[in-house]
Amino acid sequence: MQNSDPRGLYAVIGVSPVATAEEIKNAFRRRAKETHPDTSSNPSATLFQQVNAAYKILSDPEARAEYDSSGYQASAEEVRHKQLDPVCCSRCKQATAQPRYVVFRRVYSFILATIRTPVQGIFCASCARKEAFRSSLITMCTGWWGVPWGPIYTIGVILGNGFGGEYSKEAEERLTWYNCLAFLSRGNVDLAYSLAQMSRKASDPEISSRATELSRELEKTGVDPKRSRLKNPWNFGLVERLKHLAMVAAVPLVVAGIFMQDQIASWWTGRPVPRPSYTSTYTPPPRTTKAVPAKIVPVTNACSTRPRNGDALDGYGNAISSQGHVLEIRNGSGGPAIVKVRDSFSNRTIASFYISDNAAAEYPGIPDGSYRIQYAVGDELRSDCRSFFNTAAVGQFPNVERLQTERTSTQIITQHLTYTLYAVASGNVRPQSLSMEAFDAP
Ligand SMILES: [Zn+2]
């Protein structure tokens, strides 16, 4: 006899057999409160135990599937004496020859919380496809956004739904065998025979032996074994799986698209990705005509090996590597310049360079950090080769440059800073003056 609540577990909790996992959970909490000695005015230890025992089965998707399908049992007596209703799909309520008890899942995430909820029941193949799609779609929208399980569960659940969900072979065999008897009781012998043939392979020895026996009996009555073979409606097929694969890929693709707009635009237009670029220019004060000409400086105290344009000065430059942000200095100040890159937090010099007059140099390896750029413009270098005899201007650019490498899946984006030292008033930055002591500090 078909019974959707064979041991009354749903009734104990107070829900219908088609209740969702969420409804069962809520009803269980209510019933537990109503019967527990601490929270109820009318407690019942027996009832409380029953409620708990029922919830233990109904909250576990596998145990619930087992319980639901156990209601489909028919005795030989029943088949002989009355008509049985074939199993109906829990969604469309239509009788279905080859039902399946399936558990699909949905994932809901919110920041640190991720939950997987089962959606289960007896399905016809067509309703199962729809439910698989709906559950995957909901998961696609709500599943990703939890750390760390959101993405992991989402991918697993959508793929699982796409491959037909979880189902128990035993429950399916029981439903098929029940249906075989139901169709037999209604005189649909061909269909009953086909289902009996399927049930012969059942893992339950009782079902398989009864099905074998019934098949033989039906063959004797003249059923055509060839005509009554059933097609398997449960092949989810390639198209169905591709739909779910697309749902797995959709959100990561959209997110990647948002973060890689520049790259995508560059593939599209063929133009290179623009690198962020800043230009600061500077005007030192006019050089005094009273500056001591270099030629009267005693040669013995002068730098013996004058650095070439772009050279890193002694003792600095260790922090500079071949990869990093680019610092470009253009020197139009009218004299050679020493440029220092100073860490804005520790105030230590991380690099110092010599730029010849009317020349430019590029340093490609500035590491991530916050820096101030300082300069001194002079003429002849002293014997230490890192300071001038006569300094025409000392200063620093007012802004602290924060250099941060951005990494995307395909590119590492660094920054390119350009500073220009001008002799005459122009440029967009007003430099700050600096004492020689501050500039000389290590
Ligand atoms: Zn259906």
Side-chain angles (χ1 to χ4, degrees):
M1 174 64 196
Q2 171 178 349
N3 183 350
S4 49
D5 195 4
R7 275 151 53 205
L9 300 187
Y10 289 103
V12 164
I13 289 195
V15 290
S16 93
V18 294
T20 64
E22 190 66 22
E23 285 164 352
I24 291 174
K25 195 203 279 176
N26 292 339
F28 162 70
R29 284 187 184 149
R30 199 172 53 240
R31 289 291 286 148
K33 218 186 253 177
E34 281 168 10
T35 53
H36 193 274
D38 293 342
T39 51
S40 172
S41 54
N42 187 18
S44 160
T46 323
L47 211 50
F48 181 72
Q49 275 171 11
Q50 284 176 359
V51 167
N52 268 301
Y55 184 64
K56 205 174 161 201
I57 291 172
L58 300 184
S59 61
D60 171 13
E62 223 169 280
R64 186 182 173 190
E66 171 71 28
Y67 174 70
D68 285 349
S69 62
S70 71
Y72 291 91
Q73 273 176 1
S75 67
E77 278 299 294
E78 284 173 320
V79 179
R80 216 166 291 139
H81 295 297
K82 67 178 179 197
Q83 288 195 347
L84 297 176
D85 290 329
V87 180
C88 287
C89 167
S90 62
R91 298 301 147 113
C92 63
K93 315 291 180 205
Q94 302 291 308
T96 168
Q98 296 174 84
R100 181 176 274 182
Y101 197 102
V102 196
V103 182
F104 295 108
R105 290 188 190 265
R106 296 175 180 179
V107 182
Y108 298 93
S109 289
F110 186 69
I111 307 177
L112 290 173
T114 296
I115 51 166
R116 273 183 302 184
T117 304
V119 176
Q120 62 190 137
I122 294 168
F123 289 92
C124 67
S126 150
C127 288
R129 282 191 183 84
K130 283 182 206 153
E131 183 52 57
F133 187 81
R134 191 180 307 128
S135 287
S136 285
L137 196 65
I138 288 169
T139 298
M140 177 189 97
C141 299
T142 62
W144 290 97
W145 323 108
V147 178
W149 295 106
I152 299 166
Y153 283 169
T154 296
I155 293 170
V157 159
I158 294 180
L159 291 179
N161 291 342
F163 277 81
E166 299 150 42
Y167 55 92
S168 135
K169 206 75 204 143
E170 288 78 39
E172 187 174 338
E173 287 166 358
R174 203 173 292 146
L175 294 177
T176 304
W177 176 237
Y178 177 88
N179 251 1
C180 169
L181 298 179
F183 284 113
L184 187 66
S185 78
R186 295 174 160 265
N188 191 338
V189 179
D190 281 347
L191 193 47
Y193 177 77
S194 305
L195 294 171
Q197 287 291 79
M198 286 166 65
S199 297
R200 284 173 61 175
K201 296 169 203 133
S203 54
D204 180 342
E206 203 202 319
I207 291 180
S208 91
S209 76
R210 283 178 69 189
T212 308
E213 202 178 309
L214 180 63
S215 299
R216 269 197 223 111
E217 276 172 31
L218 292 176
E219 277 162 23
K220 275 185 211 149
T221 65
V223 178
D224 180 358
K226 285 195 194 82
R227 227 191 61 201
S228 43
R229 196 158 292 158
L230 283 174
K231 273 210 305 200
N232 180 7
W234 285 97
N235 265 332
F236 258 45
L238 188 63
V239 176
E240 214 59 39
R241 280 170 199 179
L242 284 178
K243 277 190 212 165
H244 290 261
L245 273 179
M247 285 191 276
V248 169
V251 167
L253 282 178
V254 168
V255 171
I258 291 169
F259 283 103
M260 292 170 62
Q261 283 173 44
D262 287 345
Q263 280 87 343
I264 292 168
S266 98
W267 292 332
W268 195 257
T269 58
R271 280 200 291 269
V273 180
R275 288 207 292 181
S277 170
Y278 304 98
T279 300
S280 301
T281 55
Y282 147 68
T283 313
R287 274 153 52 91
T288 161
T289 51
K290 288 181 184 159
V292 183
K295 58 190 169 202
I296 71 152
V297 170
V299 171
T300 47
N301 283 341
C303 170
S304 58
T305 319
R306 190 192 172 103
R308 283 165 307 165
N309 176 53
D311 279 356
L313 295 181
D314 247 9
Y316 298 117
N318 295 341
I320 306 299
S321 63
S322 58
Q323 294 244 312
H325 305 283
V326 180
L327 174 64
E328 184 186 350
I329 307 289
R330 297 176 190 159
N331 185 6
S333 66
I338 294 170
V339 170
K340 284 191 167 185
V341 180
R342 217 181 258 283
D343 186 293
S344 71
F345 295 112
S346 67
N347 207 35
R348 304 289 295 183
T349 304
I350 70 141
S352 180
F353 307 111
Y354 181 82
I355 321 278
S356 304
D357 184 24
N358 209 17
E362 238 185 46
Y363 305 96
I366 312 286
D368 283 358
S370 289
Y371 305 111
R372 279 194 180 281
I373 311 296
Q374 301 178 337
Y375 56 84
V377 177
D379 45 20
E380 201 65 37
L381 286 170
R382 288 179 202 265
S383 58
D384 62 1
C385 295
R386 52 198 223 191
S387 59
F388 294 114
F389 280 111
N390 297 291
T391 307
V394 188
Q396 69 179 6
F397 291 100
N399 43 328
V400 170
E401 297 295 351
R402 284 188 187 81
L403 302 181
Q404 178 65 51
T405 306
E406 285 173 43
R407 284 164 215 279
T408 69
S409 55
T410 57
Q411 266 189 313
I412 296 174
I413 301 173
T414 52
Q415 295 179 355
H416 188 123
L417 299 171
T418 305
Y419 288 93
T420 307
L421 308 174
Y422 282 124
V424 291
S426 68
N428 57 6
V429 171
R430 185 176 290 270
Q432 297 163 338
S433 62
L434 198 65
S435 72
M436 203 59 225
E437 289 71 45
F439 184 78
D440 277 343

